[in-house]
């Protein structure tokens, strides 16, 4: 942790933002050290993103999210009407920046844009080869 905090401080002096992405792998279970580490990062100004946060099923990191330990939430694109409704409700209730993941085609991108919700960013193979996107 100390090295991440030190690197963040160094980069901040150069007006560069470090974002630490916390993956969805649950190797620790309910280990309290995870919360301690995330809290320490937040207290020291390190920006964090939660990767592949599962809003469609119960995500094991919900406690971390309710404690506002992340500035970014990365969510997989919805694949059904029910998931679209869940996404819409979730986005309306969160203040974190939302990044939509698994945007694999222009049709998925256009569907997300049509929801008329603000997404901070998009990630996926759709952008891998400079695919033209028409809105």
């Amino acid at each position: 942790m100390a090295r991440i905090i030190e690197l963040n401080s160094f980069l901040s002096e150069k007006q560069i933002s470090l974002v630490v992405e916390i993956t969805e792998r649950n190797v620790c279970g309910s280990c309290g050290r995870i919360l301690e580490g995330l809290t320490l990062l937040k207290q020291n100004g390190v920006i964090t993103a939660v990767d592949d946060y599962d809003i469609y099923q119960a995500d094991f990191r919900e406690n971390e999210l309710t404690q506002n330990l992340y500035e970014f939430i990365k969510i997989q694109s919805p694949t059904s009407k029910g998931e679209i409704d869940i996404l819409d409700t979730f986005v309306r209730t969160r203040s974190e920046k939302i990044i939509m993941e698994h945007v694999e085609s222009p049709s998925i991108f256009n569907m997300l844009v049509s929801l008329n919700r603000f997404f901070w960013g998009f990630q996926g193979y759709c952008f891998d080869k400079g695919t033209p996107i028409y809105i």
Side-chain angles (χ1 to χ4, degrees), residues 90-121:
F90 183 84
V91 170
R92 282 188 280 121
T93 62
R94 301 306 309 183
S95 62
E96 298 89 350
K97 296 174 177 115
I98 305 292
I99 298 172
M100 295 307 303
E101 297 186 292
H102 299 270
V103 182
E104 308 299 304
S105 67
S107 63
I108 294 172
F109 177 76
N110 288 329
M111 177 272 300
L112 290 169
V113 170
S114 74
L115 296 177
N116 290 320
R117 294 284 173 230
F118 177 76
F119 299 113
W120 190 87

Side-chain angles (χ1 to χ4, degrees), residues 1 4-5 8 18 20 22 34-49 63-73 94-97:
M1 280 302 160
I4 292 172
I5 293 167
N8 186 61
L18 172 68
V20 176
I22 310 300
I34 297 291
L35 285 176
E36 291 172 18
L38 288 169
T39 302
L40 182 64
L41 292 174
K42 181 130 184 130
Q43 290 169 342
N44 284 278
V46 176
I47 300 169
T48 55
N63 187 35
E64 298 164 17
L65 203 64
T66 58
Q67 293 186 42
N68 299 312
L69 294 174
Y70 300 103
E71 287 79 15
F72 293 90
I73 304 173
R94 301 306 309 183
S95 62
E96 298 89 350
K97 296 174 177 115

